[in-house]
Amino acid sequence: MLTRAELTHIAQARLADAEALHQAGRYDGAVYLCGYAVEVGLKHRICVTLGWTEYPSSSREFEGLQSLKTHTLSTLLKLSGMEVLVKATHSTDWTVVSAWNSESRYAPVGWSDQQRSQLFIEATHRLLTDVLL
């Protein structure tokens, strides 16, 4: 199980990693890590909403909780209880990050660029800071 504090730390660390990759011109990785940071932030918010101190992290811990074993941001947003708020107050940011999916790790090198990477970093920062963490 991952504690809420661990989830917060992981989300913030992945955003910092994304910023470092962006500065190094590694835009694909920066965008990918932004999506991952939002995923972890949403899992943190699910814990808060459900009053959990920890989020499942192993297959055994997910028994009976299969709907939570996902990387799909739109599903996690619904489960977080924050969908209406996020779409009302951060619709532009959500539109940016919701284009992410975990399968982008298999995309060809060069699928992202500096502008897209910067948009993802800014949107991820606002979502994590203002809503999810």
Side-chain angles (χ1 to χ4, degrees), residues 44-101:
H44 171 270
R45 181 48 57 182
I46 289 168
C47 286
V48 172
T49 299
L50 297 177
W52 292 357
T53 58
E54 299 175 309
Y55 195 86
S57 59
S58 70
S59 293
R60 190 175 63 102
E61 292 167 351
F62 276 107
E63 286 180 20
L65 302 170
Q66 293 304 322
S67 61
L68 297 175
K69 190 177 183 179
T70 183
H71 303 288
T72 305
L73 298 184
S74 60
T75 300
L76 291 169
L77 181 62
K78 287 177 182 157
L79 295 170
S80 75
M82 302 297 288
E83 184 174 23
V84 171
L85 178 67
V86 166
K87 289 184 176 179
T89 63
H90 290 76
S91 62
T92 302
D93 296 327
W94 181 252
T95 298
V96 170
V97 300
S98 66
W100 178 88
N101 72 68

Side-chain angles (χ1 to χ4, degrees), residues 105-125:
R105 65 185 178 268
Y106 300 116
V109 173
W111 62 272
S112 193
D113 60 21
Q114 183 178 13
Q115 181 180 9
R116 184 169 192 229
S117 176
Q118 187 65 44
L119 285 172
F120 262 78
I121 288 169
E122 292 169 0
T124 299
H125 177 74

